[in-house]
Amino acid sequence: MAVIRWGLLALLLLQQLSEIRSLTGHVCTHWRSTSVMVYTKATKQQTQRYTTGCGFWGWGTCTRYRYTISYYNKAVYKLQYNLAQACCQGWKQTGSTCNTPFCSRGCVHGSCTAPNLCTCTRGYIGTRCHADINECTGYHGCQHNCVNTAGSYRCTCRTGYVLSGTKNCNDINECTGSHGCQHNCVNTAGSYRCTCRTGYVLSGTKNCNDIDECSTNKGGCSQVCSNIRGSYRCSCNVGYALQADRHLCRDIDECSTGNGGCAHNCTNTVGSFFCTCRTGFVLDGNGLTCSEHDECLTSHHGCEQKCNNLLESYYCSCNKGYVLAANKKLCNDVDECSNGTHACEHNCHNTRGSYTCLCRNGYELAYDGRGCTDVDECSNGTHACDHNCHNTRGSYTCSCRNGYELASDGRGCIDVDECSNRTHACDHNCHNTHGSYMCSCRNGYELASDGRECTDADECSNGTHVCEHNCHNTRGSYTCSCRNGYELASDGHGCTGQRMETAKETASEEQSTGAPLGLIIGVIFAVIVAVVLIAISVFFVCRHKRNIVRRPRTECYSAPTATQSQDYNNVTYENTEFLLASKHRTGKNRDGRQHTGPWTVQTDTTNASNPDKPYEGILVKDGEEQSAYTKLSFRGEVPAPIGEYQTLSAYQRRAQQNDYEYSA
């Protein structure tokens, strides 16, 4: 029995070992428990009820209990442990191998490359590769803008640039297209700007206006600025020379040439120079040479500008542009403009120690600062001529085109009326036009090809005459005549009558039968008048009878008498319109009846209390005097309007029947 048991155990181990060897790779072994059911013998104690005799002589029956033991097979579960193999944690079985890694939470954008380890595709990050990488927060390589996308990114450019490749941006040169700049277009990074040529300033963003450079800091000129169209010129005062930059005025260094004539030292000053002597010498009175024992070396000489040493004395002198005062010490400015020592061509403006030149209107200052050159107003557009401009020295004159004459201001041009001053060449009529005139001809003439002369129009040939028979052309007109047997009508164009013989016979017959014919005509006229009068009477009688027949039933209602208390003048109308009767017809009707009371007018408004009977209105007078009926009143309760105001049509019919006009 033991041998069999050990044999079964060995067989079980061999089976388990064979199962372990069936998996390869990341394989782990472990003990696996199995629940096995076995049967064992067991006993069970039970209580059994039974009956037995009891009492006197055992005649009664009693219930008794007793214990019994029964045997049965009991099922018992026992754990059986077996050696088993499976893929290690983090690996899953694929076929017979355990080499496939397993990530329990999964990889969203990537693959599982080791147990619970995801390798993400490019552009994603995280333990599950679920988070997008925002490449734009780091180094993305875009030259301008970076736009993050799912798993990647893209580059864009700022306004004024275009993408080159995938990351770089190239500037768009707007100046190669329609930029709209009046002068120059300058391309800038991402945009462009307009600039103007030298001497102009940008107006807005694209237009250019001329700059008056001299109005701001004298255009950069150090001394004199003269504005010209699109530019300006700088010039210098006396004692200065314009530098190569054409703006600054360079002082003329008199000391650079021959030491300025100084015997010892020459010192250049702005616009002038002066001489000094070495120690132990004093400047002579000429301001150039030096002599010993110069009193001028002391500070007590009192000269304002120059001290000139003499033998045992000295004298004072002044710089160029100044003159010695009466005290022989001070220096007064020389007014070159007043004493005529200036070199200005036109106007002179004195300055301290010098002067400047100005030009009259129509001129501008030359480069030397002294001369004046003419301004051509006709070329630069500053003139005020209406038509033609002729430049003159210092000014200009105006002239007009043919057909115009110069106005009193010498600038405007007014039209010459050739027709009034009789300078025209028209044969007949003259009509003035702006700058010229036109000719026309009287009736019967037509204008020649030169537009001035008038030639006779042959109405008989061109078919414009109105003669009934014959046409005869005359100068400027024509005459009409008739064929034999006709005579010219009073209008001078038509022809009337028959041949003369027939006309005479007819006249004689009329004379012989004149009296009977007049009588017949009178009788016929009287008959016609009688027939017309009879027809008119019959017409009115028939019309009156027809009106009587056509009158509605409501006309039989009589108007309220004067004793009734109804006030027809105080009716409040709820309808949307008023009806007014015409006041110019208040007499008798055509049937001869005189209206002395109000009319009854039937309306089409429904009576709420009696739908089968419509309301009736009465046209009444304003007062007792004979006048037009001007108000429409209703008997009893005034009806509320329904739909359109329909009383108008009813009143219109009644007014026509009674020969009265109305207005609404």
Side-chain angles (χ1 to χ4, degrees), residues 335-354:
D335 189 352
E336 297 87 351
C337 299
S338 299
N339 61 23
T341 59
H342 66 87
C344 296
E345 184 176 355
H346 285 181
N347 302 323
C348 176
H349 177 68
N350 185 60
T351 62
R352 185 166 180 79
S354 184

Side-chain angles (χ1 to χ4, degrees), residues 189-249:
S191 184
Y192 72 97
R193 60 185 174 86
C194 297
T195 61
C196 299
R197 294 189 294 270
T198 303
Y200 294 85
V201 64
L202 196 64
S203 176
T205 58
K206 296 186 178 182
N207 297 323
C208 296
N209 293 337
D210 176 56
I211 299 174
D212 184 2
E213 296 85 354
C214 297
S215 64
T216 304
N217 196 25
K218 295 193 299 185
C221 299
S222 61
Q223 292 184 359
V224 181
C225 177
S226 301
N227 185 58
I228 59 177
R229 187 171 181 81
S231 184
Y232 64 99
R233 283 199 300 263
C234 297
S235 58
C236 301
N237 299 325
V238 177
Y240 296 85
L242 197 63
Q243 292 188 359
D245 64 357
R246 312 299 296 177
H247 287 79
L248 298 178
C249 291

